[in-house]
Amino acid sequence: MALRIRHIATRFALILALAAVLPLLAYGVVSIWSLQRGTRESVVAGNQNVAARAAEEIRRYVSSHADILKALAAEIQDTGLNERQLQSVVTSHVLQFGEFREITLFDDSGKVIVSSRVGPPRVSVPKGDGTMFGGVSMSPIRVDEDLLPTTVFSVQLSRLNQPAGWLVGEFSLEEMWRMVDQIRIGQRGFALVVAPDGTLIAHGDPDRKALIAQSRNMKGHPLVTSSTSSASEAGSPTTAEYTDESAGPVVAVSAPIAQLAWTVIVEQPTSEAYASATALQRQLIVAIAVFLLSMVGFGLLVGRRFIAPIFILQRGTQAVAAGDLQSRVQIDSADEFGELGKAFNAMADRLVELQEDVKRQERQAMFGRVAAGIVHDLSHPIQNIGNSTRLLLREDIDAESRAGFHQTIERELQTLKRFMEDLRNVVKPRPIERFAMDINTTASEIVESMRAEGERHGVTIEADYSGSPLMIEGDRFALGRVFRNLITNGIQATAAGGSISIVTARAGDRAEITVTDTGSGIPADRLPRIFDDYVTTKRRGLGLGLAISKRIVEQLDGTITVESEVGRGTSFNLRFPARDRGSVQAAAS
Amino acid sequence: MTGSSRANRSANDLVRHGWIAALLIALAGCSHSDSSARVSPSPVTLRLALGLTTRDIAGSGLRQVVGNIAQESLIGFSREGRPQPRLAEGWSVAPDGLSVQVRLRAGVTFHDGRPVTAEATRDAIAARFKSYLGPAFNDVSTIRAISPVDVELSLKRRSTFVLEALDVGVQSPDTSAGTGPFKIDRVSDEGANLVANDAYYGGRPSIDRIQVKPYASVRAAWADMLRGQADMLYEVGPDAIEILQPSKAVRVISHLRNYAIIGMLNVERLALRDRGFRQALNTAIDRQVLVSEILRGHGMPADGTVWPSNWAYDSQAPVFRHEPRALGTTRTRLTCVVGDVALERLVLALQQQLHRIGVDLQCELMPVDAVLARVARGDFDVFLADTQLGPTLLQSYRTWRTGAPRNLGGYSNPRVDAALDSIGVAANDDEYRSGVAAFQRAIYDDPPAIFIAWSERARAVSTRFDVPVEPGRDILATLRLWKPVAQPALATRN
């Protein structure tokens, strides 16, 4: 089932959201994602450059000192220096190159020839387990007696293509720390150097050099593992993000130092690495949020203003529909809504005029009808009275005729009297008196009294009363008027040869009386107003009879309804609350 | 809502919130009291790593450090060499200079509980003065307690050195217990424990215990500190200062000591009898290079024997400058004994610099006891050591006066002796200054040693401790004022 959104404001808001907010949100999401990704790539690329440069610098640093030892070895083996001179040379080198803690010259048998050490040398002839690069053997990183990592460079001397001893130098890795300390990325990014077996050689963070002294092994480090596995891809840094035990989340890149099989890892806390992006992202989110809120707010404001005339028109229309024709709308915009508002007001003004016209016409029509009815109803009896009176005044009228003229005058006076009573009843209804009465009795009295008139018009009046008394609380005289009125109307509406039937019956707790004629019937469009004052289908009369009858019936807690078909006749149905004889007697008493 | 009803509602809220706050505070107090009842505060311990220069069989290095912490002297001397009260709250020198009276602080006790009395002080002074003063002890006539808190030193002649010698530590005569803020609990070659002296007259230290652990080398000591196994490094070598300094967990504090690295010359050796030769040795030394490259700037060139910060130092006196000159065509070979491995690179540099003027310095690095044995029998040319030459002139007296206890090279120069004696009998500052100036000139003319550099000592302390630093002063002097920095409370096991 399709979603139905009834309110125009909601639809407008949705349109605004779809048309403006969603695209902005989408843009924001894409922007932030792009920013994050771009920043990450940029940071990683930058740090990779740093790592690669650091690796190259460390390689150069180490190999330059290896070259120094190599050069010294060349000088020693080629120049034929005596022991004192050799001593001086190695001493000079140790003093000049502080990275060498010691340089010792061994003969081929491993005996010390000269050493820079004042005491016994700490180094010895290599065992062949070192890494060769450029003709220099570098021993595996080992932990010395001070529990700090150390390494030894060794150069084999030769003379006339024969081994002639070893020049061995103890390389101070603490000196290399100074270089690593200078590698900084931001404020909290540091470099560390790891040996192939995972031994931490150097750490640029001064507070984490303890890891070196603790002989921390970095074998399980994600970048150490990945770097060693891809050692053949020299200079191919790798990257990872992980949580460091003290620095928290970090982004790290590594660069292998191929010749040395060391790994340089550059770590930087992500909070610092991505700080600018994070700040930018925050600004972007704030900006987007502000724009969104502004847009929503603006949209709501504009939307309200846009939709407001519709609501104004809606309220105005509802007020007019409810009958308040004085309701007007005020729409001050100069657009179509303004035109619509003006049109609405003009329409309402016109409706008022039309209503006044209709009222005036109805009043005129009613007055005319009433006047015509009065004239018509009064003129005939008055004329008859006048004629009869004039005839009575003649002396040549016999007694029988004179009596007939009397009767005519009496009858017409009764007619006038009834007419006046009807009018009075409209203005000031006669109070209803309630007595226990038998409908059948009253109906039969009226039927009998009207039978002669019916015969005069050629209309047969038939009655069918209920078998038992049909007791109600009613006013015999008022009900008599009602019955008389209904029968009279039936006689007037029925052509000669027709009939009127009166049927009384008990229907549950109701007493029902039905008066049916075979007259001309009442058009359907007039039925709804048949009981209104001054409504008549007759050419003569005020149209008060049925209105009075309805009032009387309703005063007696009854109902009156009508069914009619043009050409077939009309049937009036009266229903009253029935009373049993006991309750009626008790009420009567 | 009316104003009165709003006020009533605010008051009700206040009362309700107040009850809740009170309940929370009570609960917190209960939990705090419960936790404090279960866990008592642990003693504050300072783990001191002592990197020995060599393995000393007698543990002299360790014992000396421990003794320095546990003992106090009667009088201390400022960086400028001016006396300051310690166990002695005051002193006076008679106008004729023939007696010195020292008044002790009242209520001071040794670590063994005995009171520091004039008698005990007299005995302590008497026990150490002869070996400490050397020839100057001959100026002392008697040492006696003239009151429970006053000690009088009667002199045969005025002697400033006697007053300067009162920087000796005072120990309990029977137990050798000291009076310092910390007392020795245990000491052996493997280490020492000191505990806070609750009865220390200057107030109980905040540190409850000091554990001193010796290491084979200074490097090993600072490596252990990196591992977090030590709170303080007794000495940080020049190599390690730059490594430790940037750390936020450690604070490196340096001060220039009144100790000089000198190569004491055995003037009884033929080659060294010539004072010109000895001068040439001094002018061959490029002290600036040694300080900047070998000591990495942690030191100051020593171009003479007098501590430059001494109030009487004569800045106009001649000093040794780097003016190397070759000493003929024949090379001279000198033997050198060294007991401190930290001086190894300095030795190499010295060798190089002396080599240029034709001197081959053959150095041997050996344990201190072996060095002392060699020195004692005169089997050396140069004895390279870090020697106290300040802050007072007594140290120079003890080193260069003929027959002085530290005159290991057999040096003797009447002019030097006369200058030192004039310092000793100086009746006022002017005379003292004049004597110092004469002494400086005499030493310059006839140097007894190769003067190299005033050494800087760097100590490293964990930032767990708040250390008051007085410029130019050793932080160990304020050890009793060190306080642990407040740490966040730890969660209890429960």
Side-chain angles (χ1 to χ4, degrees), chain A residues 100-155:
Chain A
F100 285 106
R101 204 176 288 142
E102 171 189 336
I103 297 177
T104 299
L105 179 63
F106 297 90
D107 66 13
D108 197 41
S109 66
K111 184 180 161 211
V112 176
I113 301 175
V114 291
S115 175
S116 66
R117 287 226 63 209
V118 175
R122 282 193 291 253
V123 299
S124 59
V125 173
K127 297 180 179 61
D129 54 351
T131 305
M132 292 298 298
F133 62 96
V136 178
S137 167
M138 186 177 80
S139 73
I141 304 293
R142 66 174 182 86
V143 175
D144 60 17
E145 60 269 14
D146 294 327
L147 300 181
L148 287 169
T150 188
T151 189
V152 172
F153 290 159
S154 306
V155 178

Side-chain angles (χ1 to χ4, degrees), chain A residues 446-510:
Chain A
I446 301 300
V447 166
E448 294 308 317
S449 69
M450 298 289 295
R451 203 180 288 280
E453 186 170 345
E455 287 174 0
R456 276 200 301 278
H457 285 82
V459 176
T460 309
I461 301 176
E462 298 166 351
D464 180 11
Y465 303 112
S466 63
S468 59
L470 199 59
M471 306 301 289
I472 67 169
E473 280 189 22
D475 186 328
R476 188 161 68 87
F477 295 104
L479 276 175
R481 285 178 59 87
V482 173
F483 293 146
R484 183 178 296 110
N485 187 33
L486 292 176
I487 295 171
T488 302
N489 287 346
I491 292 171
Q492 291 171 354
T494 305
S499 64
I500 298 172
S501 67
I502 295 94
V503 175
T504 67
R506 177 77 182 251
D509 61 346
R510 296 275 168 181

Side-chain angles (χ1 to χ4, degrees), chain B residues 8-26:
Chain B
N8 286 338
R9 187 174 166 180
S10 298
N12 290 337
D13 286 343
L14 199 61
V15 170
R16 188 170 60 248
H17 293 155
W19 275 112
I20 293 171
L23 185 62
L24 288 173
I25 290 169

Side-chain angles (χ1 to χ4, degrees), chain A residues 208-404:
Chain A
R208 303 192 69 196
K209 285 196 170 39
L211 298 177
I212 305 171
Q214 291 164 6
S215 302
R216 173 66 64 93
N217 194 285
M218 310 286 285
K219 197 80 175 174
H221 192 283
L223 292 182
V224 169
T225 308
S226 61
S227 285
T228 52
S229 65
S230 61
S232 59
E233 301 174 26
S236 304
T238 56
T239 179
E241 284 191 32
Y242 49 87
T243 300
D244 183 77
E245 59 192 13
S246 64
V250 297
V251 55
V253 296
S254 69
I257 308 174
Q259 280 182 300
L260 307 175
W262 293 356
T263 304
V264 173
I265 298 171
V266 169
E267 282 181 348
Q268 186 180 23
T270 54
S271 59
E272 185 187 48
Y274 303 144
S276 58
T278 304
L280 208 58
Q281 181 178 313
R282 204 174 292 129
Q283 290 172 7
L284 194 60
I285 290 172
V286 168
I288 289 173
V290 168
F291 276 125
L292 275 174
L293 288 173
S294 303
M295 198 175 297
V296 169
F298 180 73
L300 283 172
L301 185 67
V302 170
R304 275 180 187 278
R305 295 182 64 181
F306 184 77
I307 297 171
I310 298 175
F311 292 130
I312 293 172
L313 285 167
Q314 180 195 23
R315 284 194 293 274
T317 306
Q318 287 172 343
V320 167
D324 180 12
L325 295 184
Q326 300 306 316
S327 174
R328 297 292 180 272
V329 297
Q330 186 174 358
I331 299 173
D332 297 325
S333 59
D335 55 10
E336 288 82 348
F337 282 118
E339 295 299 321
L340 198 56
K342 287 178 191 167
F344 178 87
N345 290 338
M347 179 193 72
D349 290 340
R350 185 75 186 120
L351 277 175
V352 169
E353 288 175 4
L354 287 173
Q355 188 187 50
E356 292 298 320
D357 287 344
V358 166
K359 282 183 183 174
R360 190 169 51 249
Q361 287 172 4
E362 282 183 353
R363 278 199 303 273
Q364 285 174 353
M366 187 186 69
F367 181 75
R369 196 172 58 249
V370 168
I374 292 173
V375 166
H376 193 275
D377 281 359
L378 288 182
S379 65
H380 185 71
I382 291 173
Q383 189 169 358
N384 284 343
I385 291 171
N387 289 340
S388 295
T389 303
R390 272 194 297 275
L391 287 172
L392 277 176
L393 289 175
R394 287 176 65 170
E395 290 179 356
D396 58 342
I397 301 299
D398 59 54
E400 189 178 351
S401 299
R402 201 179 292 279

Side-chain angles (χ1 to χ4, degrees), chain B residues 260-267 272 277-287 290 302-305 320 334-336 346 350-351 353-354 357 359 361 363 381-387 389 400 443 446-454:
Chain B
I261 302 171
I262 64 171
M264 186 174 285
L265 300 173
N266 185 356
V267 299
L272 294 169
F277 180 74
R278 285 182 268 120
Q279 281 182 325
L281 292 176
N282 274 286
T283 56
I285 304 302
D286 189 346
R287 293 166 181 81
L290 294 180
D303 46 24
T305 188
F320 294 112
L334 295 177
T335 61
C336 166
L346 187 72
L350 277 176
Q351 287 175 334
Q353 291 182 357
L354 291 176
I357 65 166
V359 174
L361 188 66
C363 284
D381 293 323
V382 181
F383 168 34
L384 198 65
D386 202 15
T387 307
L389 294 177
W400 309 126
I443 288 293
D446 186 11
I450 303 172
F451 299 99
I452 301 171
W454 298 100

Side-chain angles (χ1 to χ4, degrees), chain A residues 144 147 178 207 210 213, chain B residues 219 226-227 242 247-248 296:
Chain A
D144 60 17
L147 300 181
R178 297 176 208 281
D207 290 318
Chain B
R219 184 165 177 263
L226 280 182
R227 290 180 205 103
E242 290 178 26
S247 172
K248 295 184 192 68
R296 296 184 193 264

Side-chain angles (χ1 to χ4, degrees), chain B residues 376-461:
Chain B
R377 57 175 189 267
D379 183 13
F380 72 100
D381 293 323
V382 181
F383 168 34
L384 198 65
D386 202 15
T387 307
Q388 185 180 8
L389 294 177
T392 64
L393 269 295
L394 175 63
Q395 303 306 327
S396 288
Y397 181 91
R398 296 180 68 227
T399 310
W400 309 126
R401 181 66 167 80
T402 302
R406 291 199 313 211
N407 191 347
L408 303 173
Y411 178 75
S412 179
N413 183 309
R415 220 176 115 205
V416 168
D417 291 346
L420 287 169
D421 289 344
S422 70
I423 294 169
V425 300
N428 51 51
D429 284 359
D430 288 337
E431 289 181 14
Y432 196 99
R433 256 195 221 101
S434 175
V436 171
F439 172 66
Q440 285 178 251
R441 285 169 178 75
I443 288 293
Y444 177 80
D445 289 339
D446 186 11
I450 303 172
F451 299 99
I452 301 171
W454 298 100
S455 62
E456 185 181 278
R457 171 147 289 165
R459 305 199 197 275
V461 186

Side-chain angles (χ1 to χ4, degrees), chain B residues 28 74 201 423:
Chain B
L74 281 172
Y201 64 87
I423 294 169

